[in-house]
């Protein structure tokens, strides 16, 4: 069984996220999503989520491509996650291109093109008009 992992906030879930998850799953048979906790988002990414961790987890678990959702609590957990979950491939959108190349010692590292015209920020801006 080939195991894939990806990380993110996935707040205000949209088709850009789904495109990423669908393509990530194509790299294996089992996709783990490490979902940023509310604390990690606020402390490390200065992101205030619209939906709580539990709600975002519920949404992700309903997606056919996703097999397991685990919490992302710190930047440094990727190395141990790859070991602990026997991950073969690490996948992220290319806005992170190069940032996680240190994982190449442990697994395949893939950066996929983002879906260009959609983002949570864009959605929030459009709704505020
Ligand atoms: N994404 C995408 N296209 C978009 C928006 C997002 O492909 N239009 C991808 C991002 O590149 C990322 C994933 O969807 O791979 C989740 O996006 P975010 O929730 O914005 O993730 P981010 O806040 O970048 O968190 O440790 C890594 C971080 O947790 C990544």
């Amino acid at each position: 069984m080939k195991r894939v992992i990806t990380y993110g906030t996935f707040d205000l879930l949209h088709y850009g996220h789904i495109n990423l998850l669908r393509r990530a799953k194509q790299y294996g048979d089992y996709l783990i999503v490490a979902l940023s906790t509310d604390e990690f988002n606020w402390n490390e990414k200065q992101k205030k989520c619209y939906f709580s961790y539990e709600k975002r987890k519920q949404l992700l678990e309903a997606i056919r491509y996703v097999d397991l959702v685990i919490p992302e609590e710190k930047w440094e957990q990727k190395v141990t996650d790859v070991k602990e979950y026997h991950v073969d491939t690490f996948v992220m959108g290319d806005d992170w291109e190069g940032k996680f190349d240190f994982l190449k010692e442990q697994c395949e590292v893939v950066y996929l093109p983002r879906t260009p015209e959609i983002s949570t920020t864009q959605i929030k801006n459009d709704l505020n008009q």
Side-chain angles (χ1 to χ4, degrees):
M1 175 190 293
K2 281 204 71 181
R3 302 159 77 87
V4 185
I5 197 165
T6 190
Y7 293 72
T9 301
F10 296 98
D11 193 29
L12 295 188
L13 195 67
H14 54 67
Y15 64 90
H17 297 132
I18 301 300
N19 283 343
L20 189 284
L21 295 170
R22 177 176 43 73
R23 287 175 292 157
K25 184 59 176 281
Q26 289 168 352
Y27 283 83
D29 320 281
Y30 191 87
L31 175 60
I32 301 162
V33 178
L35 180 62
S36 311
T37 60
D38 298 335
E39 298 75 19
F40 180 76
N41 271 309
W42 183 246
N43 298 332
E44 299 298 326
K45 297 194 255 183
Q46 290 70 48
K47 281 186 176 183
K48 177 139 183 36
C49 289
Y50 183 79
F51 289 122
S52 68
Y53 174 81
E54 280 312 315
K55 291 279 185 295
R56 289 182 285 121
K57 181 172 186 281
Q58 202 180 345
L59 284 162
L60 283 174
E61 286 173 341
I63 298 169
R64 69 174 63 191
Y65 310 118
V66 176
D67 297 288
L68 176 68
V69 179
I70 62 172
E72 177 185 29
E73 296 165 304
K74 52 187 190 295
W75 294 109
E76 303 75 22
Q77 72 180 71
K78 294 180 176 68
V79 173
T80 45
D81 287 348
V82 168
K83 277 189 201 122
E84 187 180 330
Y85 291 94
H86 311 290
V87 168
D88 301 285
T89 307
F90 168 94
V91 176
M92 284 302 292
D94 62 4
D95 45 320
W96 292 92
E97 182 82 36
K99 297 285 191 309
F100 304 115
D101 285 357
F102 59 87
L103 290 169
K104 283 182 176 173
E105 291 157 40
Q106 291 178 259
C107 64
E108 182 188 14
V109 174
V110 174
Y111 301 103
L112 297 172
R114 279 173 67 94
T115 303
E117 76 284 354
I118 181 80
S119 69
T120 304
T121 311
Q122 182 73 48
I123 294 169
K124 287 177 181 172
N125 292 343
D126 290 352
L127 287 174
N128 286 335
Q129 277 168 9

